[in-house]
Amino acid sequence: MTLGKAKGVDVTVIKVTTPKGIKYGPQAKSGETLVIVGYRLKNTADKPLSLLERPAFALIDAQGQRYNPDDFITASAGVEVAAQNSFVADINPNTSIDGRVAWKLDATAFDRNTWKLVVAGDPQLTFALK
């Protein structure tokens, strides 16, 4: 697990997986890969953190190209997380939620040794995928 601290939030990357598919959702087609990042988000501020105020996640390749998450695959991956109903609720101060964020990518382009996860915040947080 890797922890990053930004203003008002702590982000912990718990696990990075590249499954062929999601039990309750889409499967990767030939030439594609799914990347799923499991994380914990803790509100360290003194007020509730709403869904719309949560930091955005992105993947960045070795050339600096940004890849935004796939909302449908993220929602499908989230179904597998326990207590997922808490994900859409506000996160009260000093409490946390576990979540997942997912991407569908070109399998030949994705390299977990050189790509990074970035999380918007003050400061921006960067995590290796290895």
Side-chain angles (χ1 to χ4, degrees):
M1 291 196 285
T2 305
L3 173 66
K5 294 178 176 276
K7 185 178 180 183
V9 294
D10 289 352
V11 179
T12 304
V13 174
I14 299 168
K15 186 176 182 182
V16 178
T17 60
T18 54
K20 293 291 181 195
I22 298 172
K23 184 175 181 179
Y24 301 108
Q27 308 297 305
K29 295 183 175 109
S30 177
E32 298 175 342
T33 190
L34 302 181
V35 177
I36 301 175
V37 175
Y39 66 91
R40 179 165 296 128
L41 185 63
K42 181 177 181 181
N43 180 0
T44 59
D46 59 2
K47 64 178 184 162
L49 184 66
S50 74
L51 178 64
L52 297 177
E53 296 172 308
R54 295 182 196 172
F57 291 77
L59 290 178
I60 306 291
D61 69 16
Q63 290 73 43
Q65 174 69 44
R66 179 186 180 95
Y67 297 83
N68 290 327
D70 182 301
D71 292 336
F72 178 70
I73 297 172
T74 295
S76 298
V79 168
E80 298 178 354
V81 177
Q84 190 63 24
N85 59 343
S86 66
F87 186 72
V88 296
D90 289 353
I91 306 172
N92 286 315
N94 296 309
T95 64
S96 62
I97 57 120
D98 288 351
R100 291 186 182 172
V101 61
W103 293 261
K104 180 169 54 171
L105 302 167
D106 175 356
T108 61
F110 178 69
D111 179 358
R112 78 186 293 153
N113 293 314
T114 60
W115 287 43
K116 306 283 185 207
L117 173 71
V118 294
V119 181
D122 181 18
Q124 175 177 285
L125 304 174
T126 304
F127 299 92
L129 297 179
K130 312 184 214 185

